Amino acid sequence: MDGRKRMVELVGVCETTLWTLYHRALAAGDPGSALLDPKAIEVVDAIGYPFEGRFGTGSWGLAQGMAVRARCYDREVRRFLRDHPEGTVVSLGEGLETQFWRVDNGRVRWLGVDLPEVAALRQRLLPDVARHRTLSCSATDERWMDEVDASRGVLIIAQGMLMYLPLDAVRQLVAGCAARFPGAELIFDTPPAWMAARTVRGRWRYPAGYRPPPMLWGMTAALRQKLGAVHPGIAGVRAVRVPRGRGLLCGWVLPLASVLPVARARKPLWVTCVSFGLTEHQQVESADDGSVGRRAGARSPVGAAGVTPGTGR
């Protein structure tokens, strides 16, 4: 950064990228936090925007909650890269996420996809670098799929965005990924259904007064199970364990809500992994090159034809 403040004006769903960036930077600036994200702090310092007046001080566990989500995604990307060091990570709705710098192994290929106004802002603040590029495109526009090199394995992530799309559009997106990227995985997070309903009614407000845009749907156990029937290429759908944070909310309440049956439906963060199975032809190829045995020990398939899958999300 050159020390100049970049003035920013985003509204609606696009503004949520500033909310997440700000809270991630607050968490990274806390000496007691487990999140290391100096790039987020750098970007916040470079933006001329009333963060605190608009979003508050990160109290009530908001900053630590964002740190927990970031660490969850970082853990899963690192797992993918351990088995696919030159694989491709596709970040749908990437916004001003700085994850690439947190997990970069020096070999990963990274494609960020976002709406034109957000992609333009990202190019001003976080211009493309070697092995990371940003595509100005809606996540629901399958043109981004043509830009993905699937030869070394693919992992698709969607942080904090799918709840703003109609559920039918999400199902179509999942089906499209299953058809185009057999052997890959899609990881995404959503709020619970009860929280999404409150945003639609305008009843969800953060301490400083900020109201998030309507979240059109939220996750339930039944809905997660039904995702498996969206496309015949889906091999499995599972919950992703969220790491433990610090403080009362993220250190105790959130972990307990994830394991206690009476509280599970009320937990504020649902992270889901959808695995796309290999086609019959790819399975035959894998048997021919002797990779079937290697696949047998994997938790879920990640990659493309002829690529040994990793542990997945």
Side-chain angles (χ1 to χ4, degrees), residues 111-120 123 128 133-139 141 143-144 147:
L111 177 66
V113 179
D114 219 318
L115 296 172
E117 56 268 47
V118 180
Q123 292 289 16
D128 287 352
R133 62 192 180 99
T134 301
L135 180 65
S136 177
C137 178
S138 169
D141 187 336
R143 287 182 301 157
W144 66 262
E147 304 293 323

Side-chain angles (χ1 to χ4, degrees), residues 44 49 59 66 76 89 109 145 160 182 185 232 263 271 281:
V44 166
Y49 186 85
S59 59
M66 191 56 57
E76 301 303 324
V89 176
R109 272 68 175 174
M145 298 183 184
E185 286 184 338
V271 185
H281 174 69

Side-chain angles (χ1 to χ4, degrees), residues 22-99:
Y22 172 60
H23 285 88
R24 207 168 60 251
L26 286 178
D30 183 346
S33 174
L35 180 68
L36 299 177
D37 198 345
K39 198 73 173 177
I41 298 174
E42 179 184 341
V43 176
V44 166
D45 289 343
I47 295 177
Y49 186 85
F51 285 105
E52 184 171 332
R54 180 72 168 147
F55 303 134
T57 61
S59 59
W60 291 32
L62 296 177
Q64 285 304 315
M66 191 56 57
V68 166
R69 189 180 80 172
R71 287 172 52 218
C72 181
Y73 276 94
D74 289 356
R75 179 195 65 208
E76 301 303 324
V77 171
R78 290 188 180 109
R79 284 180 176 173
F80 167 73
L81 293 179
R82 279 200 294 267
D83 292 290
H84 306 275
E86 296 182 349
T88 298
V89 176
V90 181
S91 182
L92 301 178
E94 185 171 38
L96 296 176
E97 173 59 64
T98 48
Q99 185 182 30

Side-chain angles (χ1 to χ4, degrees), residues 188-200:
F188 64 94
D189 63 276
T190 47
W194 66 267
M195 182 185 295
R198 290 192 66 183
T199 68
V200 171

Side-chain angles (χ1 to χ4, degrees), residues 253-287:
V253 176
L254 185 58
L256 285 174
S258 299
V259 298
L260 295 178
V262 294
R264 197 172 294 157
R266 304 290 295 179
K267 65 181 180 180
L269 178 63
W270 294 60
V271 185
T272 300
C273 172
V274 183
S275 301
F276 307 125
L278 297 176
T279 65
E280 183 177 348
H281 174 69
Q282 289 170 327
Q283 291 172 355
V284 171
E285 284 188 337
S286 297

